[in-house]
Every structure is written in structure tokens, then in C-alpha cells.
Amino acid sequence: MKYVLFVAGILILTLGISLTIQSELGTSPFDALLVGLSHQVGLSVGSWEVIIAFLLIGCNALLKQQKPEFLGLVTAFITGVGIDMWLYVSESLITPEVWYSKLMTFVIGLVIISIGTAIYLQTNFAPIPIDRLTLILHELTRTPLFISRTLIYFVFLILAFLLSGPIGLGTLLTVCCAGLLLQFIMGHTKKILDRILTDRDTSSHTEREKERSV
């Protein structure tokens, strides 16, 4: 069940990312960097997700002074495939043209990103390296999660700007609100997922007891 929730969370997350890109209002600094690299250098957005993830895994290992968590590449690969898949689908289905439809698309995308991130992080299975970096800074600095997230976004914002990534109102909203939104949603998803997993474990235990009695 945990792995099902993990994959579901990643697919939800990447759907949100594709919506923010399609909104054309600007994406998160990290996604803006990926799009900028795709436009300036080549390769797909999803491909750059995997490449940058590999570099971040090394960075995380240095910060934690431990072996690289290469399992994170599995997560990054699924994320990269998800981004490219949703972009391919959304390009023909979602084409907001007026400002309010673009804003609505972006806001929905941002909320979906937070929900997907919260779900897959709760499974504690191979976080995306950038999310792992957020958690590491959160632990090392003992600051709220949104501060660690905002600091990371600021660094990627500079890199995205240098590569002419899609920076705009949406980017500003992400920097200011994404960390707080993630922290808020994680509190609620934890309760829901704990209940789901607890009920499943209880059901499995009951079924085993019935089998033994038979």
C-alpha cells in the first residue's frame, strides 16, 4: 500500500507541475530552471529532472556526511517521466489564454503539487532529492519547513533567471506560499494516510486471525 501511495503522490505532483508550466505565469524556481535548461541546452524537462537530481544527491550526501542516496534517482526518474507525460497530455487539453484562466490553472497546479508532495513524502520512501534537501536543511538549521524551502527556491530562482526560465507572478507566489502550503497540507495528509494505513493493517491482521482459526 505504501508503494501505491508513493507512485500516486508522484503522479499527482507531476500533474501539478505540468499545470503551472501550462499556465504561462511562471513556475517554481526549480521547475523554471528545468524548463530553462530544456530550452537553452536541449533534452526534455523530465530529462533535466533526472540530471539535476543526480547532482543534488551528491550535495545531500555531503551535507549529511553519509553515502549518496541513489534510490532517489528512482523517484527522480518516475518524476521526470510523469512531467513529460503530463506536459504531452496537457499541451493539447489545457491552453489558458486570458489572465484569470491562467491564474486559476496555476493556483490549481500549486495546490496539486503540495498535495502530491505531501502524500509521497509521508511514505518515507526515496524522496525527490530537492525535497530531501529541504528536509535536511530543516533538520540542520532547526527552522520551520517553509523557511528551508524558501531558501532553496531563492537559489534556484537565480539560476533560472540566468537561463531565461519561465519566471513570473507564479514564481513569486510559489516562493512566498509553497512552503507554507506544503506545511499545512502535510499536517492533514499525515492524519488521513495514518488512518488509511492503520485500517489496512488492522484489516490484514483480522484476516490472518480468521485464516488461523479455520
Side-chain angles (χ1 to χ4, degrees):
M1 183 64 177
K2 182 174 73 170
Y3 301 115
V4 173
L5 290 173
F6 169 76
V7 174
I10 294 294
L11 292 178
I12 293 171
L13 162 65
T14 51
L15 171 60
I17 291 174
S18 71
L19 289 176
T20 60
I21 293 175
Q22 288 299 105
S23 74
E24 297 182 346
L25 287 181
T27 65
S28 76
F30 181 69
D31 296 326
L33 173 62
L34 299 182
V35 175
L37 285 167
S38 179
H39 289 166
Q40 299 296 327
V41 183
L43 301 179
S44 68
V45 176
S47 298
W48 281 109
E49 168 76 31
V50 179
I51 295 171
I52 298 299
F54 182 80
L55 298 176
L56 288 176
I57 286 173
C59 176
N60 294 342
L62 291 174
L63 288 174
K64 290 289 288 184
Q65 296 183 346
Q66 62 184 25
K67 294 181 180 179
E69 299 175 333
F70 287 115
L71 193 58
L73 283 177
V74 176
T75 309
F77 177 77
I78 298 173
T79 303
V81 171
I83 291 174
D84 287 344
M85 177 189 72
W86 286 122
L87 281 176
Y88 177 79
V89 173
S90 63
E91 280 178 356
S92 58
L93 298 178
I94 303 173
T95 56
E97 297 181 356
V98 293
W99 70 269
Y100 54 83
S101 62
K102 291 183 178 182
L103 181 60
M104 184 180 298
T105 301
F106 175 83
V107 171
I108 293 173
L110 185 60
V111 172
I112 291 176
I113 287 173
S114 298
I115 293 173
T117 302
I119 291 174
Y120 99 82
L121 282 179
Q122 297 289 353
T123 64
N124 293 316
F125 178 77
I128 296 173
I130 187 174
D131 291 327
R132 179 60 175 155
L133 178 59
T134 301
L135 296 175
I136 289 174
L137 289 181
H138 171 63
E139 295 172 2
L140 293 178
T141 60
R142 296 183 179 179
T143 55
L145 194 65
F146 78 90
I147 291 181
S148 301
R149 190 73 160 189
T150 302
L151 177 62
I152 294 172
Y153 274 159
F154 181 73
V155 174
F156 282 114
L157 178 63
I158 296 174
L159 295 175
F161 176 79
L162 295 175
L163 287 166
S164 302
I167 297 173
L169 174 62
T171 309
L172 178 62
L173 291 174
T174 302
V175 172
C176 295
C177 304
L180 287 171
L181 186 60
L182 175 61
Q183 189 168 341
F184 172 78
I185 290 177
M186 280 192 74
H188 288 76
T189 55
K190 186 178 188 305
K191 296 177 182 178
I192 296 172
L193 294 182
D194 285 346
R195 189 179 306 165
I196 292 174
L197 293 175
T198 300
D199 290 344
R200 183 178 182 277
D201 290 340
T202 302
S203 177
S204 298
H205 177 72
T206 303
E207 289 179 1
R208 286 196 298 268
E209 288 297 324
K210 289 181 179 179
E211 290 175 357
R212 290 175 183 176
S213 62
V214 173

